[in-house]
Amino acid sequence: MQPELVESRFRAREIMHRYNNSPPTRDGHERREMLAELFCVPVETIPGVYIEPPLYVDFGSNIKIGSDFYANYNTTILDCATVTIGNRVLFGPNVSLYPATHGISVKERQTGLERASEITIGDDCWIGGGANIQAGVTLGQGCTVGAGAVVTKSFPDW
């Protein structure tokens, strides 16, 4: 892995450790400041964003989140590619977003080649607990994903 990616991944792990071990507060401002640091954005750009710890990411810097986003416990976002989450989006517990993918051929996996494709979640979506969104998926505005679903195909706006 390239040295700058190693450093970026380490930076994300340091911030995740602080975030995941931080005490709750009534207004959530301290955690929102840590999220802004993780996502490399000004805190003013993520109003109403609240993610229950623990949160797991690869880099953090490839995650773009709109306003009024709520994620319940144990969210995982492997942001090897850009992940965009719209406004007023809700995640149940144990939601995972996996832009990273590997070849299905053994020979290809043996080369160490990794791929990643963007994930986009439109405004006003609800992702049920335990759902898994795969590489390259776009969920249009207003989509609902049932608990435990594995989403491999895109869906248009409602």
Side-chain angles (χ1 to χ4, degrees):
M1 188 181 291
Q2 297 174 344
E4 60 271 9
L5 292 178
V6 171
E7 183 57 34
S8 183
R9 193 175 256 183
F10 182 75
R11 174 194 143 297
R13 277 156 182 65
E14 286 181 317
I15 299 167
M16 280 187 303
H17 178 76
R18 281 190 284 129
Y19 186 82
N20 291 337
N21 292 287
S22 65
T25 60
R26 298 239 184 255
D27 66 4
H29 185 73
E30 291 86 357
R31 284 185 178 163
R32 203 163 17 267
E33 285 179 340
M34 286 183 256
L35 288 174
E37 181 183 1
L38 182 63
F39 302 149
C40 301
V41 298
V43 71
E44 302 81 36
T45 65
I46 53 171
V49 170
Y50 195 82
I51 300 173
E52 300 282 359
L55 167 66
Y56 303 102
V57 304
D58 273 337
F59 302 102
S61 57
N62 294 321
I63 300 169
K64 313 301 177 211
I65 295 182
S67 63
D68 301 316
F69 169 67
Y70 176 79
N72 212 318
Y73 303 103
N74 209 37
T75 296
T76 300
I77 304 173
L78 302 184
D79 61 314
C80 300
T82 302
V83 173
T84 304
I85 299 170
N87 300 313
R88 299 171 306 278
V89 172
L90 303 171
F91 282 7
N94 303 305
V95 168
S96 298
L97 307 182
Y98 296 150
T101 185
H102 300 277
I104 57 171
S105 158
V106 172
K107 289 204 179 288
E108 185 179 319
R109 284 195 307 272
Q110 289 172 343
T111 69
L113 178 67
E114 273 189 50
R115 292 187 194 88
S117 298
E118 294 184 10
I119 292 176
T120 302
I121 299 174
D123 294 342
D124 302 303
C125 289
W126 178 65
I127 313 299
N132 180 310
I133 313 297
Q134 295 291 301
V137 166
T138 295
L139 297 178
Q141 180 180 353
C143 284
T144 299
V145 174
V150 176
V151 182
T152 62
K153 305 283 186 224
S154 296
F155 291 90
D157 293 348
W158 56 276

